Amino acid sequence: MSQVTRPVRRFLFLQGPHGPWFHRLAGLLRITGAQVWRVGFNLGDRLFWPGPGYIAFKDSHDRWPDHCATLFDQHQITDLVVYGDTRPIHARAIRLAQARGITVHVFEEGYLRPYWVTYERDGSNGHSRLMHLAIPQMRAAMERVDPDLPDVPATWGDMREHMFWGALYHGFVALGGRAYRNFRPHRALTVWQEFQLYLWRFLLMPVHRWERRLATFRIRRGGFPYHLAILQLEHDASFRDHSPFASMTDFLALVIDGFAKGAPQHHHLVFKAHPLEDGRVPILPTIRRLAAERGLADRVHFVRGGKLAQLLNDARSAVTVNSTAGQQALWRGLPLRTFGDAVYAKPEFVSSQPLDEFFAAPQRPDTRAYRDYRQFLLETSQLVGGFYSGRGRRRLLRQVVDLMLAPQDPYQALTAGKAAPRQQLRLVR
């Protein structure tokens, strides 16, 4: 019996998560018969791609679009692979790829954290196809699916590994400054500043752990009703490119003002920092100043990173810009108010009340609608595993290559009744 001859797929990887994930993925793609190349923009990229197919880009960034187009044509690229779709080098490459009919594979941190990562095509977050899918469409696509929902997650993910790979990456970027003198990071800080922040945060983890435990203990033992403000990184793409705020200070001021106007006098407000917050933005001093100006110094609290579950379990409501952690509030049936573009900001379960009214009497979400939405994500774009730990990468590799080689994206496959069975969360524990 003759074998079916399939056209050779040619993948071009750009920048990926810190660590060896992209290199491991490329190795498995080569086993399928695909050809793979990786463009590196600094020594950190080279560090995590020790094998063949590495293409160093050392020219000025204004030359990148022409160079990228040349690579597409020279290697007859069929697939582009990126981590995040908003950093300038990725956004330009995606536009060129889409104009040529090249399939664009986008990886991101999980919309449902911590035990999943996101795989989509053409865009993620505010550019995701989820932004244009309504709950009735999702329900129709899941008519053949028997829901098997996991428990509520309690932690953020592979935190220590994430920080280790980040510090290593930025350290090598800094060391390779001469070789890649034209490299410009997609964030405002210099490479050395990024490295120092990662390293400092890593070293201070034991101190911050005790600060966090003490603050959490005081809140949980305080006996007062409270609302939780879930913060995110000001330099993160979701905040920077998909929100109405120019800075985190703008968001903090809005929340404290709304709380002062609408919340009952015996209620408190708790700000929960992102687990990777590194001090580049003076969040705590800003919160203290704004709270004091509104006479709320004794009713506003700050918790540095750590587990979100302990605080959410006793909260009355939650507010965020567009953090994926907002879904942990919906997972528990808590009222949630968002402000930026978010894949989960559906009218069935995210409040659109003015903030003072929300703090006074928050509207409860339609939990049945959210369960359907959550199950739709688990059957499509959310993959069990992680980028930063060896165990997480192994679980991802078992699933993602088949999805990347499939003719349809995960959302189309489920709608057409062709979605493959997914790994269950119990395999992660």
Side-chain angles (χ1 to χ4, degrees):
M1 184 175 181
S2 61
Q3 293 183 341
V4 177
T5 302
R6 296 182 176 86
V8 176
R9 301 282 285 271
R10 296 176 173 86
F11 289 82
L12 183 66
F13 283 62
L14 299 185
Q15 291 192 295
H18 301 147
W21 160 244
F22 263 12
H23 182 251
R24 292 288 308 278
L25 174 59
L28 198 55
L29 285 170
R30 288 194 181 98
I31 293 175
T32 72
Q35 297 180 19
V36 185
W37 295 267
R38 162 77 184 268
V39 181
F41 299 84
N42 55 62
L43 191 60
D45 292 339
R46 182 52 170 162
L47 170 68
F48 296 132
W49 192 274
Y54 183 79
I55 303 170
F57 179 77
K58 299 182 180 181
D59 213 335
S60 61
H61 279 210
D62 59 352
R63 301 287 299 276
W64 166 241
D66 291 338
H67 186 79
C68 182
T70 299
L71 291 176
F72 284 161
D73 298 336
Q74 177 182 347
H75 297 289
Q76 300 179 19
I77 297 301
T78 62
D79 298 78
L80 177 68
V81 186
V82 298
Y83 171 66
D85 63 349
T86 59
R87 63 183 68 182
I89 57 175
H90 289 178
R92 293 168 183 169
I94 289 172
R95 288 194 292 268
L96 291 170
Q98 291 172 336
R100 286 168 165 75
I102 294 171
T103 301
V104 179
H105 307 270
V106 182
F107 288 92
E108 253 296 359
E109 303 294 343
Y111 294 148
L112 299 174
R113 295 188 187 182
Y115 303 119
W116 299 269
V117 303
T118 298
Y119 166 72
E120 295 180 285
R121 294 190 185 174
D122 291 322
S124 62
N125 292 311
H127 300 144
S128 168
R129 287 191 58 212
L130 287 171
M131 300 296 297
H132 308 290
L133 286 173
I135 297 300
Q137 293 174 289
M138 297 179 184
R139 284 171 167 160
M142 291 190 297
E143 289 181 350
R144 305 177 185 89
V145 175
D146 183 19
D148 183 17
L149 292 175
D151 295 333
V152 178
T155 60
W156 190 86
D158 300 322
M159 172 67 62
R160 191 175 297 274
E161 293 92 338
H162 191 159
M163 296 178 66
F164 170 77
W165 291 123
L168 186 62
Y169 172 83
H170 286 99
F172 270 80
V173 172
L175 290 173
R178 286 183 176 271
Y180 294 85
R181 63 179 67 252
N182 290 311
F183 173 68
R184 297 292 181 271
H186 61 283
R187 293 170 179 165
L189 297 184
T190 67
V191 173
W192 273 113
Q193 288 173 323
E194 289 273 3
F195 169 70
Q196 291 168 355
L197 286 172
Y198 266 95
L199 182 60
W200 186 241
R201 177 76 172 122
F202 185 77
L203 294 174
L204 286 178
M205 285 184 71
V207 176
H208 291 165
R209 185 182 302 115
W210 282 107
E211 289 181 355
R212 180 171 61 250
R213 288 176 176 175
L214 180 59
T216 303
F217 175 81
R218 288 173 175 171
I219 293 166
R220 299 185 69 189
R221 290 287 183 175
F224 45 74
Y226 64 85
H227 306 263
L228 187 64
I230 304 171
L231 303 181
Q232 52 207 103
L233 302 176
E234 185 181 89
H235 57 271
D236 185 74
S238 294
F239 185 93
R240 187 184 67 244
D241 299 316
H242 301 297
S243 87
F245 302 105
S247 69
M248 183 59 66
T249 298
D250 295 340
F251 174 66
L252 298 176
L254 180 70
V255 172
I256 290 176
D257 181 67
F259 179 80
K261 292 178 179 177
Q265 293 295 316
H266 62 293
H267 284 207
H268 287 228
L269 176 63
V270 177
F271 286 95
K272 167 69 170 58
H274 189 279
L276 292 175
E277 183 58 57
D278 52 23
R280 71 184 67 188
V281 177
I283 291 179
L284 179 54
T286 302
I287 290 174
R288 287 174 173 169
R289 175 179 59 82
L290 294 171
E293 290 173 356
R294 299 307 302 264
L296 300 172
D298 59 341
R299 294 171 57 199
V300 175
H301 311 267
F302 175 78
V303 178
R304 189 191 300 274
K307 295 183 179 181
L308 184 60
Q310 295 178 348
L311 294 172
L312 276 175
N313 288 340
D314 296 321
R316 288 293 184 90
S317 72
V319 59
T320 187
V321 177
N322 54 8
S323 171
T324 55
Q327 295 210 56
Q328 291 200 36
L330 294 173
W331 210 304
R332 292 163 170 79
L334 290 177
L336 178 67
R337 179 71 165 90
T338 63
F339 293 90
D341 295 330
V343 295
Y344 59 85
K346 306 297 183 184
E348 288 86 351
F349 41 78
V350 172
S351 173
S352 60
Q353 297 170 272
L355 197 51
D356 55 343
E357 294 181 13
F358 178 81
F359 282 125
Q363 294 176 351
R364 294 183 59 181
D366 181 342
T367 53
R368 291 184 178 179
Y370 178 68
R371 287 171 64 88
D372 291 338
Y373 167 85
R374 190 173 76 210
Q375 185 64 31
F376 181 81
L377 261 63
L378 293 173
E379 296 291 339
T380 53
S381 62
Q382 303 305 290
L383 308 181
V384 173
F387 298 127
Y388 307 105
S389 69
R391 182 177 63 178
R393 289 190 293 270
R394 290 191 294 272
R395 292 191 172 104
L396 275 182
L397 287 172
R398 295 189 184 107
Q399 310 165 75
V400 73
V401 172
D402 289 338
L403 293 176
M404 295 177 72
L405 297 177
Q408 296 176 309
D409 72 23
Y411 305 124
Q412 294 169 330
L414 183 64
T415 301
K418 299 180 180 179
R422 294 303 178 87
Q423 287 190 23
Q424 299 300 314
L425 179 60
R426 62 178 176 271
L427 296 179
V428 182
R429 292 181 174 178

